[in-house]
Amino acid sequence: MHCPFGINGEFVGKFRRKRIPAAFVKMETRADNPKGARKPPHGIYVLNYPKMPGGKAAVAQTDAEQIARYISWACNNGNLQIVDRDRGNRNAVPSDFLILTKTREFIHLYAEQLDLFGVPADTSGSTTVYEELLALLQLVRILKKREKKKHPPSSLWGGGGGGGGGGVMVG
């Protein structure tokens, strides 16, 4: 999808439409480690896995499940406290987390696992095509053709009676 104001279509609605140059801000790329006897978890985490049967797909599935489980736990009942730059603590929320993958091949697994664990997430870059969407696309195309031929939608399913299968009345 082409966006008239120069933002990739994936990000429409997340940025302002008006082009305003960003002001220069010095990037703070590191924060001091928390002090005290009980240091809260902080920083960047990398999960490494040994070789496992099933190859990359099995590793991605395991990784996605572990990450989703952790984020769900962290965002529940204040299980994980986030140390803000002003040194105040707050409960973790899903937007505190970012999952980066080396390839786009398994992004859908992360989205599915986050959904299963009740963690809202936006994903982009997945190349997965879901059969349900293809079926819906086919239905829309058929309805569009029927509309052009001025056939009533009920004729789409063969007029009912006898035979197997089912249908959905639209409209």
Side-chain angles (χ1 to χ4, degrees):
M1 175 172 124
H2 175 70
C3 184
F5 47 90
I7 297 174
N8 181 312
E10 184 67 34
F11 301 100
V12 172
K14 298 185 191 300
F15 296 105
R16 289 186 228 150
R17 290 180 180 259
K18 190 175 178 185
R19 288 183 183 222
I20 301 172
F24 175 79
V25 176
K26 184 179 178 187
M27 183 187 286
E28 295 182 44
T29 58
R30 116 181 156 73
D32 294 331
N33 291 339
K35 298 190 181 347
R38 288 192 65 205
K39 294 180 182 179
H42 60 281
I44 297 171
Y45 293 88
V46 175
L47 301 175
N48 293 308
Y49 297 97
K51 287 194 179 236
M52 59 176 66
K56 290 179 183 179
V59 171
Q61 181 66 40
T62 300
D63 190 46
E65 185 178 338
Q66 286 187 4
I67 289 172
R69 180 177 283 117
Y70 178 79
I71 294 172
S72 176
W73 169 85
C75 296
N76 192 15
N77 297 324
N79 286 330
L80 178 67
Q81 293 292 302
I82 301 294
V83 179
D84 280 330
R85 291 207 184 271
D86 65 4
R87 296 296 174 225
N89 288 359
R90 62 176 175 77
N91 294 345
V93 295
S95 61
D96 289 322
F97 299 90
L98 174 65
I99 302 168
L100 299 174
T101 62
K102 189 173 183 177
T103 65
R104 299 190 290 175
E105 185 179 4
F106 300 111
I107 290 174
H108 67 283
L109 296 176
Y110 293 86
E112 290 168 5
Q113 288 298 314
L114 289 165
D115 187 49
L116 284 173
F117 280 91
V119 178
D122 286 334
T123 59
S124 69
S126 179
T127 57
T128 301
V129 177
Y130 291 96
E131 288 184 36
E132 295 88 351
L133 291 177
L134 291 175
L136 188 57
L137 178 61
Q138 283 180 315
L139 177 61
V140 168
R141 285 180 177 160
I142 290 169
L143 291 173
K144 196 172 181 181
K145 284 181 184 177
R146 294 289 178 170
E147 179 81 18
K148 284 182 179 179
K149 292 181 179 181
K150 303 238 186 247
H151 286 281
S154 61
S155 66
L156 173 67
W157 304 110
V168 176
M169 286 291 288
V170 180

